Amino acid sequence: MSINNITLAGKKIGPQSPPFIVAEMSGNHNQSLDRALAIIEEAARAGVDAVKLQTYTADTMTLDVDDLDFLIVDSNSLWKGKSLYQLYKEAYTPWEWHKPIFDRCKDLGLICFSTPFDETAVDFLESLDVPAYKIASFENADISLIKKVAITGKPLIISTGMASIAELDETVRTVRELGNDNIILLKTTSTYPASPGNTNILTIPHMKKLFDCQIGLSDHTLGIGVAIASVALGATIIEKHFTLSREDGGVDSAFSIEPKEMKALVIESKRAWQALGKVSYGVTEKERDSMKYRRSLYITQNMKAGEVLTKENVRSIRPGYGLEPKFYEVILGKKVKKDVEKGTPLSWELIY
């Protein structure tokens, strides 16, 4: 199966390229444009490929009501006690910030795109000529939104949290039926933070085979270990929430990584990708010089012509200029043809 590259703002994403690293700002700007721009600058220093925003308002996400249905009551939630409206009011990125954020990204050589949460957000982002769209896990079954984004013809990066195979099939078919095959699915666990034990990244190669498209990871675990491991399983995109400092607080800060961690992710994910290589056995070209340090059979005592080779005067040692160790039992009991000194590599010409 051959998975095609996808070009996003001139940059290729695919198995033949290093992992495409996305810094998700989400609500970590803490309602400060200056902080949002500082996050972008730190993302650029860390070496990421792109910064992603979220485009919504509290009113496009939910209703401002205090009914129990709209309250977060999960005792394990980072946002317990808030209403959905309160959470989104705190976390949203003001739409008037988008252009200065996009401009700063462009100045720093970063790609910037966003997650729209309703059709008005798509129209707004189209006015900014975004190069791609991200679909969040909680919207991956919103077929009307999927259609709205698919007809733009731009790449769709779709988080798959909570979605069944049937739901993902409907989403992928919807996009492709509209003539858009620029799809990347992201393995996602929609808990915040997610535990490594609940991340199930073995789904990545299965999903790749099932949907015949590129697969990445939207990672809500702490640290970068899970993200690095995903590269070995074929992830071509890694998305991580990013903040200047978790100590600064913010709605998503608890499961976001900081600049030093992001820089490490960029470096180590590329190393993991480089290490994939191909199926290979035997001596590589780079290993050829090391062959001389393998074990081989050597004379370990001075010997006179006609003396018998025994365990006392022949050993398997480094370096590798003598007979291969597999011949050890074959040569025991044979005799040397001439006088030999300790440290002589054993060869067939020396024995009879």
Side-chain angles (χ1 to χ4, degrees):
M1 179 176 60
S2 177
I3 302 296
N4 294 330
N5 284 324
I6 288 177
T7 301
L8 202 167
K11 193 172 186 70
K12 287 185 177 179
I13 304 173
Q16 305 308 314
S17 303
F20 186 86
I21 308 299
V22 180
E24 162 68 85
M25 185 186 299
S26 63
N28 286 331
H29 47 64
N30 296 353
Q31 291 304 311
S32 165
L33 177 57
D34 287 342
R35 182 180 172 86
L37 298 177
I39 287 174
I40 292 166
E41 290 165 4
E42 287 296 335
R45 290 190 189 99
V48 307
D49 298 289
V51 168
K52 192 188 77 65
L53 310 179
Q54 297 179 357
T55 305
Y56 63 85
T57 68
D59 290 300
T60 64
M61 289 289 273
T62 190
L63 300 176
D64 186 12
V65 295
D66 291 329
D67 187 279
L68 187 61
D69 286 354
F70 294 84
L71 295 178
I72 302 170
V73 295
D74 181 357
S75 60
N76 295 319
S77 174
L78 296 172
W79 311 296
K80 181 180 182 295
K82 293 180 184 290
S83 71
L84 293 177
Y85 193 88
Q86 289 170 333
L87 174 62
Y88 301 134
K89 189 74 173 176
E90 179 183 349
Y92 94 111
T93 301
W95 291 23
E96 63 269 21
W97 289 8
H98 281 55
K99 189 176 188 309
I101 287 173
F102 273 64
D103 289 345
R104 182 64 61 89
C105 284
K106 184 176 181 179
D107 291 343
L108 295 171
L110 295 176
I111 296 167
C112 191
F113 63 106
S114 188
T115 300
F117 288 83
D118 79 322
E119 295 188 19
T120 66
V122 179
D123 291 334
F124 173 69
L125 291 169
E126 278 296 287
S127 74
L128 296 174
D129 196 26
V130 293
Y133 286 96
K134 164 76 187 296
I135 300 297
S137 287
F138 292 83
E139 278 68 38
N140 60 32
D142 186 341
I143 297 301
S144 294
L145 177 62
I146 299 294
K147 287 180 177 179
K148 178 79 171 180
V149 175
I151 60 174
T152 68
K154 295 173 181 177
L156 269 72
I157 302 166
I158 306 171
S159 281
T160 62
M162 303 172 291
S164 66
I165 289 177
E167 288 172 327
L168 290 177
D169 179 65
E170 183 178 13
T171 293
V172 171
R173 281 190 296 104
T174 297
V175 176
R176 286 175 169 158
E177 286 170 0
L178 290 170
N180 190 336
D181 199 33
N182 295 316
I183 303 168
I184 301 175
L185 301 178
L186 302 186
K187 177 66 185 81
T188 314
T189 301
S190 296
T191 54
Y192 308 91
S195 69
N198 195 35
T199 302
N200 299 313
I201 59 174
L202 280 177
T203 310
I204 290 172
H206 184 267
M207 196 183 294
K208 179 180 178 181
K209 184 177 181 180
L210 201 60
F211 295 107
D212 194 23
C213 66
Q214 289 189 48
I215 309 298
L217 177 71
S218 181
D219 184 25
H220 302 140
T221 63
L222 303 178
I224 64 173
V226 171
I228 302 301
S230 75
V231 177
L233 294 170
T236 57
I237 288 187
I238 297 170
E239 177 188 74
K240 289 284 283 186
H241 282 68
F242 182 59
T243 187
L244 299 177
S245 170
R246 284 185 290 272
E247 291 184 357
D248 293 345
V251 293
D252 294 337
S253 61
F255 56 92
S256 298
I257 60 175
E258 298 176 347
K260 287 183 179 179
E261 294 170 298
M262 183 63 84
K263 185 173 183 178
L265 173 60
V266 170
I267 294 169
E268 298 301 333
S269 63
K270 185 174 182 179
R271 285 175 176 163
W273 169 77
Q274 290 170 328
L276 294 176
K278 60 186 179 182
V279 176
S280 175
Y281 296 95
V283 185
T284 67
E285 190 60 37
K286 294 291 185 181
E287 289 176 317
R288 204 162 294 282
D289 286 344
S290 296
M291 287 291 290
K292 60 190 175 188
Y293 299 116
R294 295 181 92 181
R295 285 179 176 264
S296 67
L297 300 181
Y298 266 77
I299 303 295
T300 60
Q301 296 175 3
N302 293 334
M303 297 181 67
K304 296 292 185 180
E307 285 191 30
V308 176
L309 296 171
T310 68
K311 291 182 178 181
E312 284 67 41
N313 54 33
V314 179
R315 284 174 55 201
S316 172
I317 62 169
R318 297 182 185 186
Y321 297 108
L323 291 176
E324 294 177 65
K326 68 182 180 180
F327 296 115
Y328 181 63
E329 292 183 4
V330 174
I331 59 89
L332 289 178
K334 295 188 180 297
K335 298 177 181 179
V336 292
K337 293 179 180 179
K338 61 181 182 178
D339 294 353
V340 290
E341 294 182 350
K342 175 182 178 179
T344 301
L346 195 59
S347 67
W348 295 117
E349 290 74 21
L350 281 179
I351 60 179
Y352 67 95

